[in-house]
Amino acid sequence: MPTAPVADQLRLLDVQDADLRIQQARHKRNHLPVHAQLAELSAQDTLLDDEAIARGAEVTDLRREVAKAEDDVQTVRARAERDRARLESGSSSAKDLQALQGELELLERRQSNLEDVELEAMERLEAAETEHARVKAQREDLTKRVRELEHERTVAVRSLDAEIEQTQAERAAAASGLDAALMAVYERVRGQNGGVGAALLRGSTCGGCHMTLNPSDREAIERAEPEQVVRCEECGTILVRKASQ
């Protein structure tokens, strides 16, 4: 078994503690609830944007339809006014006057029908404009909420980044001057064990995998010199022994 000063092995626990805190802070930063909230709002905004475009196109089409209906009504109204003026002037023959009267009746019915079409189109336009305004208001509210959440995320990330930076400084201080071979084993094991490279041996229990050592492994560790680096047979974690052990 490799060897390392007992003091270095004990300080390795401080390094491990710092590494775990850094790992936890990074995980927390990457999995802040606000990330999921912003992703959900982004999906909602995409749907609202599509709906706003569709509603806007509907409003544009209906405005054209209303304008056409207004033009149609105006055209018939102008024609009726001309016929009415001719009829009232009395300058036409009796036959022409009779024809004008008949045409006026047709024009009045036509105008009434066109006004109904115009009114129906205006009602549909009003409903479409209301829906378009509703969607736009929803997007505005959503945009405001996104800004709030983005600020919340920025504050949280900055706080965690500061925590990580502080812990990295603590880690560097704890690792300074440690036995190079010991650190090499620690880093290798930590990479294989999801971040755990060293742990305290608590009685017969590995602080890394929390498994109970079998009697022969426990006996071998008890016989080992304090400077010898011992490891868990189950997970490979460096087992740091206290003086009382």
Side-chain angles (χ1 to χ4, degrees):
M1 289 186 285
T3 62
V6 173
D8 284 11
Q9 294 186 47
L10 291 172
R11 282 172 56 197
L12 192 60
L13 292 177
D14 294 332
V15 175
Q16 176 67 88
D17 176 68
D19 280 335
L20 285 177
R21 284 188 285 130
I22 291 170
Q23 181 176 318
Q24 290 165 357
R26 285 174 173 164
H27 182 273
K28 184 177 180 179
R29 181 184 61 184
N30 294 334
H31 295 83
L32 287 168
V34 70
H35 293 318
Q37 290 175 302
L38 283 168
E40 181 179 350
L41 289 183
S42 177
Q44 291 179 16
D45 184 63
T46 297
L47 293 176
L48 284 175
D49 185 41
D50 291 342
E51 186 176 359
I53 292 172
R55 296 293 184 184
E58 182 182 12
V59 167
T60 299
D61 290 344
L62 285 171
R63 283 175 179 167
R64 292 196 189 99
E65 187 175 334
V66 168
K68 182 179 182 304
E70 290 174 343
D71 288 344
D72 290 344
V73 169
Q74 186 57 37
T75 298
V76 172
R77 184 180 291 123
R79 176 74 176 274
E81 289 174 355
R82 288 196 301 270
D83 285 356
R84 193 173 292 110
R86 289 175 58 193
L87 185 65
E88 292 174 353
S89 69
S91 59
S92 302
S93 64
K95 182 178 181 180
D96 288 343
L97 290 175
Q98 185 177 8
L100 284 172
Q101 184 63 46
E103 183 173 324
L104 272 172
E105 292 174 359
L106 290 174
L107 289 172
E108 286 175 359
R109 289 196 294 272
R110 175 63 175 162
Q111 180 176 331
S112 177
N113 291 335
L114 289 174
E115 286 173 345
D116 289 342
V117 171
E118 178 186 11
L119 179 61
E120 190 269 339
M122 292 176 68
E123 290 174 346
R124 287 191 288 120
L125 173 59
E126 183 179 358
E129 287 176 334
T130 299
E131 282 300 297
H132 190 214
R134 177 188 62 79
V135 175
K136 288 176 65 177
Q138 282 186 313
R139 286 203 73 195
E140 289 171 1
D141 290 342
L142 188 146
T143 298
K144 180 181 178 181
R145 180 56 179 156
V146 166
R147 291 196 191 101
E148 293 172 350
L149 288 176
E150 286 176 340
H151 175 70
E152 178 183 329
R153 179 181 61 185
T154 297
V155 171
V157 168
R158 284 177 179 172
S159 176
L160 288 167
D161 283 344
E163 178 184 335
I164 291 170
E165 184 177 355
Q166 174 61 33
T167 309
Q168 287 174 330
E170 295 173 10
R171 198 264 192 199
S176 178
L178 286 185
D179 183 85
L182 177 65
M183 285 300 296
V185 174
Y186 167 75
E187 294 291 2
R188 184 175 69 253
V189 174
R190 190 167 73 92
Q192 297 168 348
N193 281 356
V196 178
L200 182 66
L201 175 62
R202 302 178 183 278
S204 296
T205 302
C206 168
C209 64
H210 306 292
M211 296 289 291
T212 300
L213 305 179
N214 64 54
S216 61
D217 290 339
R218 175 60 181 169
E219 184 180 351
I221 290 174
E222 289 176 346
R223 290 199 308 266
E225 295 296 327
E227 292 77 15
Q228 287 183 315
V229 177
V230 297
R231 296 170 60 185
C232 173
E233 290 296 329
E234 292 292 335
C235 65
T237 298
I238 296 172
L239 295 174
V240 178
R241 296 163 287 165
K242 294 290 188 179
S244 59
Q245 295 176 317

